[in-house]
Amino acid sequence: MFYTLLVGWSVLFFFLIKPYSEVWQAIYHNAGIPEGYEIRGIDVSHYQGHINWQRLSLTDIKDTPISFAIIKATEGVTVDDDNFDDNFRDSRRYGLLRGAYHFFTPDEPASAQAAHFISRVHLEKGDLPPVLDIETVGDLSPQDIHDAVLTWLLLTEDHYGAKPILYTNLNFKLRYLNSPDFDQYPFWIAHYYVKNVGWKGKWHFWQHTDRGRLPGIPTFVDFDVFNGSMYALKQLCVTKDS
């Protein structure tokens, strides 16, 4: 009887539980911090509420200091993040490498969205380059998405003098942005509750969970790692004030 139960449990575990165990981390709010990365950071928006950046700057993620913060600035052609000014100022004030991101809305012209971001975000020497966050396609065709993303990237690159970072999830990358046109841009992949990044090509940042908890932030927060050294991270930064 015991042997039968043991065999039954083993079958259940290996075929039903183990394949989904990483996904279940979300249910139990397990951030699942990946090993082997020396540069860790976060990304935030107004959804995190008021952030105590002084307290946050003294906090570690798995015994590793927080090195960078990427902060939502704009969305579409009219929306500004309510907390951007405070977050952008205080993250640098307390010693973090900072960056700013734009959330792309597919139903509005890419050139106008780039102009909106540029008018709102003034990067200083040593800041991370601009970031484009794209997650939805709306009614656009794959070619339309390709062209719109490339337009935003080229316009902001021309203004800031640095290659923008391209953020999206694995499935979106594979379906819409998997072309040589985008290989020259630093890639930030969102891929949660897995032990390793699913993208087989070159990548720079990995947003590995949306369930991080840290002192100084009243809500869950996204955790990220950089795929390289601090020297390599600083090499991505802008070299002039905009």
Side-chain angles (χ1 to χ4, degrees):
M1 181 66 178
F2 174 77
Y3 178 77
T4 302
L5 289 174
L6 182 62
V7 171
W9 170 249
S10 298
V11 171
L12 179 67
F13 177 79
F14 282 103
F15 288 96
L16 295 180
I17 297 177
K18 191 174 186 297
Y20 301 100
S21 60
E22 291 173 343
V23 176
W24 289 0
Q25 293 181 64
I27 298 175
Y28 296 103
H29 298 160
N30 180 357
I33 312 300
E35 302 281 357
Y37 298 95
E38 61 180 273
I39 310 298
R40 300 185 185 274
I42 58 173
D43 58 277
V44 300
S45 71
H46 66 278
Y47 290 112
Q48 274 65 53
H50 175 73
I51 297 174
N52 184 332
W53 288 96
Q54 181 178 24
R55 187 179 183 190
L56 187 63
S57 69
L58 303 174
T59 300
D60 292 344
I61 299 176
K62 201 157 185 151
D63 300 323
T64 303
I66 298 171
S67 298
F68 65 89
I70 302 176
I71 299 155
K72 184 178 181 181
T74 53
E75 180 175 337
V77 299
T78 59
V79 177
D80 297 332
D81 190 273
D82 292 337
N83 292 10
F84 173 68
D85 288 332
D86 290 343
N87 286 336
F88 201 61
R89 178 194 65 237
D90 289 345
S91 57
R92 186 178 178 106
R93 177 184 179 187
Y94 288 104
L96 300 183
L97 280 179
R98 66 180 183 180
Y101 77 87
H102 174 80
F103 187 87
F104 193 86
T105 54
D107 58 336
E108 297 176 302
S111 57
Q113 294 191 57
H116 179 209
F117 180 86
I118 289 169
S119 70
R120 190 70 180 82
V121 178
H122 305 285
L123 298 177
E124 298 179 23
K125 182 179 179 180
D127 287 338
L128 291 170
V131 180
L132 180 63
D133 174 347
I134 180 161
E135 305 174 31
T136 60
V137 300
D139 296 326
L140 299 185
S141 69
Q143 186 62 50
D144 289 337
I145 285 293
H146 172 282
D147 295 346
V149 170
L150 198 57
T151 294
W152 195 97
L153 295 173
L154 290 171
L155 289 172
T156 54
E157 179 181 356
D158 181 67
H159 178 78
Y160 295 104
K163 295 285 185 187
I165 297 166
L166 179 59
Y167 166 96
T168 194
N169 61 67
L170 177 62
N171 291 333
F172 197 101
K173 171 68 172 174
L174 290 170
R175 185 169 183 181
Y176 297 104
L177 305 177
N178 191 15
S179 80
D181 288 330
F182 302 110
D183 291 345
Q184 61 183 307
Y185 296 99
F187 179 35
W188 177 13
I189 182 172
H191 199 191
Y192 301 161
Y193 310 117
V194 292
K195 293 180 180 179
N196 299 290
V197 174
W199 176 246
K200 301 306 180 184
K202 186 177 181 180
W203 62 272
H204 291 75
F205 298 88
W206 173 19
Q207 184 187 76
H208 57 83
T209 184
D210 59 353
R211 285 294 183 267
R213 296 307 299 259
L214 291 172
I217 301 180
T219 65
F220 289 118
V221 63
D222 300 333
F223 282 0
D224 306 279
V225 296
F226 176 70
N227 189 24
S229 65
M230 179 57 72
Y231 174 81
L233 180 60
K234 289 184 176 181
Q235 290 298 108
L236 295 179
C237 293
V238 298
T239 58
K240 64 178 182 177
D241 295 349
S242 62

